Amino acid sequence: DNSKLYCLGSGQQHLNEPLLDHREGQLFLTEAFKVILEEVLCKGTDVNEKVCEWREPEELATLLDLELREYGEQQYQLLQRVRDVAKYSVKTNHPRFFNQLFAGVDYHALTGRFLTEALNTSQYTYEVAPVFVLMEDEVLSKLRSLVGWAQGDGIFCPGGTMSNMYAMNLARYRAFPEVKLKGQWALPRLAVFTSQESHYSVMKAAAFQGIGTENVFKVNVDDRGCMMTDDLSEKIELAKSQGAVPFLVHATSGTTVQGAFDPLEPIADICDRQGLWMHVDAAWGGSVLFSKEHRHLMRGVERWESGACSGIQLLECNFDLLKRCHSADATYLFQQDKFYDMSLDTGDKSIQCGRKVDCLKLWLMWKAVGSQGLEERVDRAFAHTRYLVEKMMKREGFQLIGKPEFVNVCFWFIPPSLRGKENSPDYQDRLSKVAPVIKERMIKQGTMMVGYQPLGGRVNFFRMIVISPQLSYQDMTFFLDEIERLGNNL
Amino acid sequence: DNSKLYCLGSGQQHLNEPLLDHREGQLFLTEAFKVILEEVLCKGTDVNEKVCEWREPEELATLLDLELREYGEQQYQLLQRVRDVAKYSVKTNHPRFFNQLFAGVDYHALTGRFLTEALNTSQYTYEVAPVFVLMEDEVLSKLRSLVGWAQGDGIFCPGGTMSNMYAMNLARYRAFPEVKLKGQWALPRLAVFTSQESHYSVMKAAAFQGIGTENVFKVNVDDRGCMMTDDLSEKIELAKSQGAVPFLVHATSGTTVQGAFDPLEPIADICDRQGLWMHVDAAWGGSVLFSKEHRHLMRGVERWESGACSGIQLLECNFDLLKRCHSADATYLFQQDKFYDMSLDTGDKSIQCGRKVDCLKLWLMWKAVGSQGLEERVDRAFAHTRYLVEKMMKREGFQLIGKPEFVNVCFWFIPPSLRGKENSPDYQDRLSKVAPVIKERMIKQGTMMVGYQPLGGRVNFFRMIVISPQLSYQDMTFFLDEIERLGNNL
């Protein structure tokens, strides 16, 4: 009986009874699970359904009735809210969602996430997370073996930005261990080096961690977006000449827009000569390590001091620095008189106190498909990318920014009215307006989602991401047809 | 047919077909959901079942078969793994789990978390998270109204530590806006003030953000653990006399161990006089704001510059600083030529790029029980605490550390062999060994979980947390009986 009032007790007289009825709660959760299956996972992955159900913000706020009030609602109303949230949310699991650096659904990973949420624990001690302390260790050590390390240390982080921040802190701590106690004011001006096309989190980290954004030296890139090592050497000399002390090169494996891989071997050579920490931000490209065919893109990876790894967002570090650098020795959590091996209480390695369990989703997916299955997914994404690029090159109006190294396909769509007009003075200006209009049309019609941006001297171009394990050739063809349909009259 | 091989395609010849069969995936998820219901939510909340199933690490690793291999497993094996992970994990939803600052299950919140995971989006733009951008805004503005503000800004964070770090960065930026560009090395030595019993994340933040742990001045507390404002004034003068520049007072509403509330009004007076930023870490105690009866504990809260709020882990700030302080203007994400109001793209306020959706679980729970239901929960936890304290005072062998201000009940259990021996020279030493042994016994028997720690000059004592909405008087009685049963022969 869904319309029954959901009663949460009515005050002090019931203190002797549990506040919440588990049976009713579980009933609600079960009904909501059916809605999630239907709306998010069935309809949300059906090519015949929309990727998004666009509404103007004012209209959406009204439809959702967001206001929080004095009294609670009935079960059937709450279930309708679950349905509405699903309906008006973007379907990132949809085969025509190419908008971000994530897409598609893995049911084993999702199972791991549901189980993580239901168990609701924190990763800090063996006492409260015995399974996950051991599991995190296994996943990290397996990933280290992909990198080519027999040992090291690591931690899962809430996102690639945090991984990069951990690395910046570790690198600074290795160079100047007194920074933990005294702070940056007692240090000389420091200098970080990263490519012009690296992720913006380097700038955020420099600001947040007291290093300063003007102390991030941006190294020139080639046409593909890869760091130019000659310029890296020059920028290091430039920083020194300004009195700054270089301590960290933040290289990228898989840049955000072009998917470029910085040349790790020559960068590592420079870092060796100069005594700098080499961090590799592989938050996007690190999955190539699973593939025998494509791991050459990260040749030299075993020489990194730390790395932020693909999708799973973690920090690997080849020194035993995490704990020394981050510990605060809270006695209420890390008691020294426990009855088990206290080295299993890994919580003092992290800057967070409570830390969500992030390893289970990856572990269960890996158990389900094996290293071989993960490799196949990576190879498949590359194969789809090649297919798309080939088709694109045969179609009039599609102009690639460059040959993709990874699964980012960057291109301009040149509508018929602009073809052959490359030399007219307003060409660039008119071209820059094409992608935003096509984007608006696709979102309002809900047929697909793909991102665009300017980059350096290039005006707005599309960045198509080929990553979902559920993609087929048909989806590639659809994509090209749909860009034409939406943009041909521009 | 669960024993059927879960086929993920077998290579290039199938590129034209989706890699993953949604029907099979959804079947697996549905079966796993049943396991979660049964193991985590039914058995995991049943007082007749164990809170934890203790295993030594080596044995547990073997039982779980953690190793990740070349080939994937069959569905029925994977379902068994889901069951095993649940079985050997600590049941934090169990009514006898008193070990951490979280406990119990709210089925609406859990529904919100499942839906969040299934939708798998990021909070950065209205384009990709239309529902959640608007929802976060509503939840934050409702929380601000509890604080007593008509406007302000805020953000959900991955934990209280991150909230505190945001506050430290904002406070530094207000005092020295050039820090973003130039870094801390160009600034004078800074000084932060916090109580001796504040959370250890203040130290972690100072280390991580380049301020330095020796520049955190620890202010004395009274017996209850509340900051002494006379000493705060003295420590500020001390810092100045050392040439440091005070910029931030980090006050606490609800300390980790004793649950103490710093006196916000006099602290705010001092901050006003000295021009310091007052941050209030209410990550533990902030829920009192929901209660008309108990919100006096945070009297003066409306004078904070920023606050980290209860459980939900967010940062509220009364300045429009978040974006200026943290922005990096990534053009691939925050395009300036979008067709909707770009102020809705809130992603540049955060230091993270991808940011998980955290508002839905709270919003759905709030919709379900209303402000009135949340208030009732808070009042109920206080009432349970009073009940427990009364019963405890009547039992021989239970010695309170102090009268609780909040829902932390800190006490020593004095076993019969130690009663009346307070003056013997080895009393403190013997008392310090009581809690660890009781803890080991309870974990190995799985009957309940409660934390202990030393604090200042006090040897190991228990910290009982009365927070789960599912607690009853019986659970309180059980707790006292069980401590006696486990410790009476010591």
Side-chain angles (χ1 to χ4, degrees):
Chain A
D1 179 2
N2 281 336
S3 65
K4 195 175 143 201
L5 238 171
Y6 191 48
C7 174
L8 275 139
S10 46
Q12 306 275 331
Q13 70 273 31
H14 291 307
L15 272 182
N16 207 25
E17 294 300 317
L19 182 64
L20 212 130
D21 184 317
H22 285 287
R23 203 193 56 79
E24 278 199 38
Q26 288 160 19
L27 188 69
F28 181 82
L29 186 66
T30 304
E31 292 300 313
F33 177 76
K34 290 181 200 157
V35 174
I36 292 172
L37 261 188
E38 188 183 323
E39 293 289 331
V40 184
L41 299 169
C42 289
K43 283 167 74 175
T45 59
D46 182 348
V47 286
N48 299 312
E49 299 280 341
K50 290 182 174 181
V51 181
C52 57
E53 191 70 50
W54 172 261
R55 291 291 184 282
E56 295 294 335
E58 301 70 25
E59 188 192 352
L60 183 56
T62 308
L63 280 170
L64 293 169
D65 181 24
L66 289 170
E67 192 189 342
L68 298 166
R69 303 198 179 83
E70 188 62 18
Y71 294 98
E73 297 187 346
Q74 299 189 7
Q75 298 261 36
Y76 77 95
Q77 289 174 300
L78 295 164
L79 267 183
Q80 185 58 42
R81 299 204 174 281
V82 169
R83 200 176 287 278
D84 288 344
V85 166
K87 178 175 177 185
Y88 294 109
S89 286
V90 171
K91 306 300 182 299
T92 69
N93 304 322
H94 195 284
R96 273 86 195 255
F97 178 83
F98 312 108
N99 206 64
Q100 246 72 37
L101 303 188
F102 56 88
V105 57
D106 179 280
Y107 289 95
H108 296 106
L110 186 57
T111 298
R113 293 159 80 180
F114 279 16
L115 181 53
T116 300
E117 293 296 333
L119 285 168
N120 194 35
T121 194
S122 173
Q123 186 83 46
Y124 30 54
T125 60
Y126 184 77
E127 179 178 314
V128 79
V131 171
F132 302 124
V133 163
L134 300 179
M135 188 181 281
E136 183 174 65
D137 190 53
E138 166 66 18
V139 176
L140 290 172
S141 110
K142 193 77 185 174
L143 289 167
R144 273 196 295 274
S145 74
L146 282 180
V147 171
W149 289 350
Q151 51 190 11
D153 203 354
I155 196 169
F156 279 82
C157 300
T161 297
M162 287 307 303
S163 307
N164 290 335
M165 285 187 176
Y166 268 92
M168 199 173 274
N169 201 40
L170 289 168
R172 178 171 62 179
Y173 180 76
R174 186 185 62 166
F176 298 94
E178 68 271 30
V179 70
K180 185 175 176 183
L181 189 68
K182 294 193 167 296
Q184 181 94 12
W185 78 279
L187 268 49
R189 181 182 163 201
L190 299 182
V192 181
F193 303 86
T194 193
S195 89
Q196 282 169 337
E197 298 195 6
S198 72
H199 191 253
Y200 71 92
S201 57
V202 189
M203 301 304 277
K204 295 217 177 201
F208 197 69
Q209 298 183 269
I211 284 162
T213 55
E214 74 174 9
N215 301 317
V216 178
F217 288 75
K218 293 291 185 76
V219 181
N220 293 341
V221 293
D222 63 19
D223 276 350
R224 294 170 306 160
C226 304
M227 186 190 281
M228 295 170 77
T229 49
D230 287 353
D231 193 55
L232 172 60
S233 296
E234 283 174 32
K235 290 280 157 57
I236 291 173
E237 296 313 316
L238 175 67
K240 287 180 179 172
S241 74
Q242 293 177 3
V245 179
F247 75 109
L248 169 67
V249 176
H250 176 107
T252 309
S253 289
T255 57
T256 315
V257 176
Q258 295 209 71
F261 287 76
D262 287 344
L264 301 185
E265 285 283 12
I267 293 172
D269 290 341
I270 292 171
C271 287
D272 279 352
R273 277 200 300 276
Q274 302 269 358
L276 308 183
W277 181 291
M278 176 165 91
H279 172 66
V280 180
D281 179 354
W284 175 225
S287 56
V288 301
L289 293 174
F290 285 103
S291 164
K292 287 182 280 295
E293 187 181 346
H294 300 290
R295 59 173 292 136
H296 67 89
L297 288 166
M298 287 183 69
R299 188 170 289 137
V301 59
E302 71 287 353
R303 297 175 66 187
W304 75 17
E305 265 84 20
S306 63
C309 259
S310 201
I312 41 198
Q313 308 308 8
L314 54 89
L315 188 276
E316 289 275 11
C317 166
N318 76 354
F319 295 101
D320 176 26
L321 272 187
L322 272 172
K323 189 155 180 194
R324 269 187 289 151
C325 180
H326 295 127
S327 65
D329 298 320
T331 50
Y332 75 92
L333 208 49
F334 311 116
Q335 300 91 333
Q336 294 308 300
D337 43 18
K338 285 186 177 177
F339 61 93
Y340 60 82
D341 174 6
M342 286 161 288
S343 72
L344 290 167
D345 290 352
T346 51
D348 223 11
K349 286 185 192 175
S350 71
I351 52 163
Q352 301 116 282
C353 176
R355 187 160 65 89
K356 280 193 95 146
V357 172
D358 285 316
C359 57
L360 176 57
K361 57 178 186 262
L362 177 60
W363 182 83
L364 197 61
M365 180 172 83
W366 203 324
K367 276 285 190 191
V369 305
S371 304
Q372 178 266 342
L374 294 173
E375 175 169 27
E376 193 176 295
R377 287 192 193 186
V378 174
D379 290 348
R380 192 180 169 86
F382 273 92
H384 272 128
T385 306
R386 275 196 299 270
Y387 177 85
L388 178 68
V389 167
E390 279 163 24
K391 294 291 170 193
M392 200 176 265
M393 287 167 71
K394 287 179 189 151
R395 292 213 188 190
E396 207 182 356
F398 288 86
Q399 187 183 336
L400 282 163
I401 299 293
K403 193 166 176 302
E405 274 197 280
F406 193 38
V407 295
N408 309 34
V409 182
C410 295
F411 68 94
W412 285 289
F413 176 71
I414 321 285
S417 67
L418 279 179
R419 290 175 199 162
K421 307 266 172 65
E422 292 77 5
N423 297 323
S424 67
D426 62 347
Y427 179 81
Q428 292 295 330
D429 185 50
R430 287 173 65 193
L431 181 57
S432 75
K433 296 192 170 86
V434 170
V437 174
I438 293 179
K439 178 70 179 259
E440 176 173 358
R441 289 176 178 177
M442 75 174 72
I443 284 196
K444 289 192 170 166
Q445 296 175 28
T447 51
M448 67 181 189
M449 286 178 71
V450 61
Y452 72 85
Q453 65 288 301
L455 183 71
R458 298 165 178 131
V459 299
N460 281 327
F461 57 87
F462 285 110
R463 179 197 66 174
M464 159 76 169
I465 298 295
V466 187
I467 185 76
S468 163
Q470 287 104 7
L471 290 183
S472 71
Y473 285 164
Q474 286 92 321
D475 295 309
M476 304 291 134
T477 308
F478 174 85
F479 176 80
L480 297 170
D481 291 347
E482 185 66 4
I483 291 279
E484 285 177 352
R485 187 184 74 82
L486 294 166
N488 260 347
N489 70 347
L490 288 178
Chain B
D1 179 2
N2 281 337
S3 66
K4 195 174 143 200
L5 239 171
Y6 190 49
C7 174
L8 275 142
S10 47
Q12 306 277 331
Q13 70 274 30
H14 290 306
L15 272 182
N16 207 24
E17 294 301 318
L19 180 64
L20 211 131
D21 184 317
H22 285 287
R23 204 193 55 80
E24 277 199 41
Q26 288 160 18
L27 189 68
F28 181 82
L29 186 66
T30 303
E31 291 300 314
F33 177 76
K34 290 180 201 158
V35 174
I36 292 172
L37 261 188
E38 189 183 322
E39 294 288 332
V40 184
L41 299 169
C42 290
K43 285 167 74 176
T45 58
D46 182 347
V47 286
N48 300 311
E49 299 280 341
K50 290 181 173 181
V51 180
C52 57
E53 190 71 50
W54 172 261
R55 290 292 185 281
E56 295 295 332
E58 301 70 24
E59 188 192 353
L60 183 56
T62 309
L63 280 170
L64 293 169
D65 181 26
L66 288 170
E67 193 190 342
L68 298 167
R69 305 198 178 83
E70 187 64 18
Y71 294 98
E73 296 187 346
Q74 299 189 5
Q75 296 261 36
Y76 77 96
Q77 290 174 299
L78 295 165
L79 266 184
Q80 184 58 43
R81 300 204 174 282
V82 169
R83 199 175 287 277
D84 289 344
V85 166
K87 178 176 177 183
Y88 295 108
S89 287
V90 171
K91 306 302 183 297
T92 68
N93 304 323
H94 196 284
R96 273 88 194 253
F97 179 82
F98 311 110
N99 207 65
Q100 246 72 38
L101 302 188
F102 56 87
V105 57
D106 179 281
Y107 289 95
H108 297 106
L110 186 57
T111 298
R113 293 158 81 181
F114 280 16
L115 181 53
T116 300
E117 293 297 332
L119 285 167
N120 194 34
T121 195
S122 172
Q123 186 81 47
Y124 32 52
T125 60
Y126 184 78
E127 178 177 314
V128 80
V131 172
F132 302 123
V133 163
L134 300 180
M135 188 181 282
E136 183 174 64
D137 190 52
E138 166 65 16
V139 176
L140 291 172
S141 108
K142 192 77 185 172
L143 288 166
R144 271 195 295 274
S145 74
L146 282 180
V147 171
W149 290 349
Q151 52 189 10
D153 203 354
I155 195 168
F156 279 82
C157 299
T161 297
M162 288 307 303
S163 307
N164 290 334
M165 286 188 175
Y166 268 92
M168 200 174 273
N169 202 38
L170 290 168
R172 177 171 63 179
Y173 180 75
R174 186 186 60 167
F176 298 95
E178 67 271 29
V179 70
K180 185 174 177 182
L181 189 68
K182 294 192 168 296
Q184 182 93 13
W185 78 280
L187 267 49
R189 181 182 162 202
L190 299 183
V192 181
F193 304 86
T194 193
S195 90
Q196 283 170 336
E197 299 195 5
S198 72
H199 191 252
Y200 71 92
S201 58
V202 188
M203 301 302 278
K204 294 218 178 198
F208 197 71
Q209 298 182 267
I211 285 164
T213 55
E214 73 174 9
N215 301 318
V216 178
F217 288 75
K218 292 291 185 76
V219 181
N220 293 342
V221 294
D222 62 20
D223 277 351
R224 294 170 306 161
C226 306
M227 185 188 282
M228 295 169 77
T229 50
D230 286 353
D231 193 56
L232 172 60
S233 296
E234 283 174 32
K235 290 280 158 53
I236 291 172
E237 294 314 314
L238 175 68
K240 286 181 180 171
S241 74
Q242 294 177 0
V245 179
F247 76 109
L248 168 66
V249 176
H250 176 106
T252 309
S253 290
T255 58
T256 314
V257 177
Q258 296 208 72
F261 287 76
D262 288 342
L264 301 185
E265 285 282 12
I267 293 172
D269 289 342
I270 292 171
C271 288
D272 279 353
R273 277 199 301 274
Q274 302 270 358
L276 309 183
W277 181 290
M278 177 166 91
H279 172 66
V280 179
D281 179 354
W284 175 225
S287 55
V288 301
L289 293 174
F290 285 104
S291 163
K292 286 181 281 296
E293 189 182 344
H294 299 289
R295 59 173 293 136
H296 66 88
L297 289 165
M298 289 184 69
R299 188 170 292 136
V301 58
E302 72 286 354
R303 295 175 66 186
W304 74 18
E305 265 84 20
S306 63
C309 259
S310 202
I312 40 197
Q313 307 309 11
L314 55 88
L315 189 276
E316 288 275 11
C317 167
N318 76 355
F319 295 102
D320 176 26
L321 272 186
L322 273 171
K323 189 156 181 194
R324 269 187 287 151
C325 181
H326 295 126
S327 66
D329 300 320
T331 51
Y332 75 92
L333 208 49
F334 311 115
Q335 300 92 333
Q336 295 309 302
D337 42 18
K338 285 185 175 176
F339 60 92
Y340 60 82
D341 174 6
M342 286 160 289
S343 72
L344 290 167
D345 290 352
T346 51
D348 224 10
K349 285 185 193 175
S350 72
I351 53 164
Q352 302 116 283
C353 175
R355 186 162 65 90
K356 280 193 92 144
V357 172
D358 285 314
C359 57
L360 176 57
K361 57 178 185 265
L362 177 59
W363 181 83
L364 197 61
M365 181 173 81
W366 203 325
K367 275 286 191 192
V369 304
S371 305
Q372 177 268 342
L374 294 173
E375 175 169 27
E376 194 176 295
R377 286 192 192 187
V378 174
D379 290 346
R380 192 179 169 87
F382 273 91
H384 273 126
T385 306
R386 274 196 300 269
Y387 177 85
L388 179 67
V389 167
E390 279 164 25
K391 295 291 171 194
M392 200 176 265
M393 286 167 71
K394 288 180 189 152
R395 290 211 191 194
E396 210 184 354
F398 288 86
Q399 187 182 335
L400 283 163
I401 299 293
K403 193 167 178 301
E405 274 196 280
F406 193 37
V407 296
N408 308 34
V409 182
C410 295
F411 67 94
W412 285 291
F413 177 69
I414 322 285
S417 68
L418 278 178
R419 292 177 199 163
K421 307 267 172 65
E422 293 77 6
N423 297 323
S424 68
D426 63 347
Y427 178 82
Q428 292 295 328
D429 185 50
R430 288 173 65 194
L431 182 58
S432 75
K433 296 189 170 89
V434 170
V437 175
I438 294 179
K439 178 71 178 258
E440 177 173 358
R441 289 176 178 177
M442 76 174 72
I443 285 196
K444 289 192 170 166
Q445 297 175 28
T447 51
M448 66 180 192
M449 285 180 72
V450 62
Y452 72 86
Q453 65 287 302
L455 183 70
R458 299 170 178 126
V459 299
N460 282 327
F461 57 87
F462 286 110
R463 179 197 64 174
M464 159 75 170
I465 297 295
V466 187
I467 185 77
S468 162
Q470 286 105 7
L471 291 183
S472 71
Y473 284 162
Q474 286 93 321
D475 296 309
M476 304 291 131
T477 307
F478 174 86
F479 177 80
L480 297 171
D481 291 345
E482 185 66 4
I483 291 278
E484 285 177 353
R485 186 184 75 81
L486 294 166
N488 260 347
N489 70 348
L490 289 178

